[in-house]
Amino acid sequence: MGFFKDFKDDFSDAVNELVPEGSDSSATEYNEPTNMNDSLDEAIDVDDELSKLDGLFEQVSKKVENGESISSSDDTASSEEKEDKKEGLFDKKKSKKKDKDNKQDNTDTFKTYIPEEYTMDTTPATSAPAPTPISTPTTNIGTASDENAVITKGMTINGSLESTGSINIEGTINGDITCNGKLVITGYVEGNSNSAEFFADAAKVIGEVNTTGTAKVGVGSVVKGNIIATSAVIAGAVKGDIDVQGPVVVDTSAVVVGNIKSRSVQINNGAVIEGFCSQTYSDVDVEDVFG
């Protein structure tokens, strides 16, 4: 009952504050609630009010229960969403793994179809292979090399001289000479010579000259000995026989004391020859010509 009295008093105070003073209508309205409140105080049923309160409590409890059920449903929904998300992530990981496995399978399938001749051995070698020895080239006998030996003017050699290349003699050689290249003499040589090509320029040579190429005796050169060559050009002095498989040219400044045998011979005006000239190696059969 005290609760309802307090509620009535508060309600009256509120009405007095809202209604202006001195107004009849307000007084009338105010008196009516006063009389109504008095009548309420007399006619209030306590059991009825308590039952009403019990009903309110039941409604509040139902609302609370409904709120809990809603929150629990929300939690259930959120948990279900989380589970769905987890399942989605799991499905994504599973699909990625499946794609990776498929790629690996494709790679393995591709490797199986690579021919053996195109595959590369990636196995590291346990030890480095021994290096293959490099064989040094050897110069064949009779083949001329690019070497060129020079005997200077102030040098004298007493003995034989051999070279796989060419020799340029400006000094003095007392001995036989053998070279696979070109022999050029501008000094003094006493001895036989054997070379691929012979050239004497203002030189003095005492000995036989044998060459597989051309023999050239320049102006001012003196050769005392036989000359055997494939071809010859004589412009100096030669005392000895000349045996040449090819042509021989005797220049105007040449002096030849000896016989000449060749395929052909050309004697320029002014040349001096004391001996016989014979085209022994020519293609003409002299006996057949004269029958």
Side-chain angles (χ1 to χ4, degrees):
M1 294 294 293
F3 173 76
F4 290 103
K5 283 182 178 182
D6 293 336
F7 179 75
K8 181 181 70 173
D9 294 337
D10 292 336
F11 182 75
S12 298
D13 293 337
V15 170
N16 291 328
E17 289 178 0
L18 293 173
V19 176
E21 294 180 357
S23 175
D24 294 335
S25 61
S26 62
T28 301
E29 293 175 358
Y30 177 77
N31 290 326
E32 289 178 356
T34 305
N35 295 328
M36 183 178 66
N37 292 332
D38 295 336
S39 62
L40 286 173
D41 293 336
E42 295 175 357
I44 290 173
D45 188 358
V46 176
D47 296 331
D48 187 18
E49 295 296 330
L50 291 174
S51 63
K52 289 181 180 178
L53 290 175
D54 293 334
L56 290 174
F57 282 118
E58 289 178 359
Q59 291 179 2
V60 171
S61 63
K62 287 182 180 179
K63 288 182 181 181
V64 172
E65 290 177 358
N66 292 329
E68 290 178 354
S69 63
I70 290 169
S71 61
S72 62
S73 63
D74 292 337
D75 294 337
T76 305
S78 61
S79 63
E80 290 177 355
E81 290 178 357
K82 290 180 181 180
E83 292 295 332
D84 293 336
K85 289 182 181 180
K86 288 181 180 179
E87 290 179 358
L89 292 174
F90 179 75
D91 292 336
K92 287 182 180 179
K93 290 182 179 179
K94 188 174 181 181
S95 62
K96 287 183 180 180
K97 184 177 180 182
K98 186 175 181 181
D99 294 337
K100 186 175 180 181
D101 294 337
N102 291 332
K103 289 182 180 179
Q104 185 67 26
D105 294 338
N106 293 331
T107 305
D108 296 337
T109 304
F110 175 74
K111 288 181 180 179
T112 56
Y113 284 98
I114 297 176
E116 293 182 357
E117 57 269 22
Y118 293 103
T119 58
M120 183 177 62
D121 186 11
T122 58
T123 304
T126 56
S127 60
T132 305
I134 300 173
S135 58
T136 56
T138 56
T139 305
N140 296 327
I141 298 174
T143 302
S145 64
D146 295 334
E147 297 178 356
N148 187 13
V150 178
I151 308 301
T152 60
K153 290 182 179 180
M155 183 179 293
T156 300
I157 297 177
N158 296 318
S160 299
L161 182 64
E162 295 182 3
S163 174
T164 57
S166 300
I167 300 177
N168 188 353
I169 299 174
E170 298 175 0
T172 300
I173 302 294
N174 295 318
D176 297 336
I177 300 172
T178 302
C179 68
N180 296 335
K182 184 177 181 179
L183 177 60
V184 179
I185 301 174
T186 58
Y188 178 82
V189 174
E190 186 174 352
N192 299 327
S193 63
N194 191 344
S195 63
E197 189 175 353
F198 177 86
F199 178 53
D201 184 16
K204 186 173 182 179
V205 178
I206 299 173
E208 185 177 289
V209 176
N210 193 338
T211 178
T212 57
T214 302
K216 297 179 181 179
V217 180
V219 178
S221 298
V222 176
V223 177
K224 293 182 179 180
N226 299 329
I227 297 176
I228 301 171
T230 302
S231 61
V233 177
I234 308 299
V238 177
K239 188 177 183 179
D241 295 336
I242 299 174
D243 189 351
V244 177
Q245 299 289 329
V248 175
V249 176
V250 182
D251 205 358
T252 56
S253 59
V255 176
V256 178
V257 178
N259 299 324
I260 298 174
K261 291 194 303 182
S262 65
R263 183 184 182 91
S264 64
V265 61
Q266 176 183 339
I267 301 173
N268 294 335
N269 189 14
V272 176
I273 298 175
E274 294 183 0
F276 297 98
C277 292
S278 174
Q279 285 76 43
T280 304
Y281 306 111
S282 64
D283 296 333
V284 179
D285 189 355
V286 178
E287 294 181 358
D288 188 41
V289 169
F290 291 100

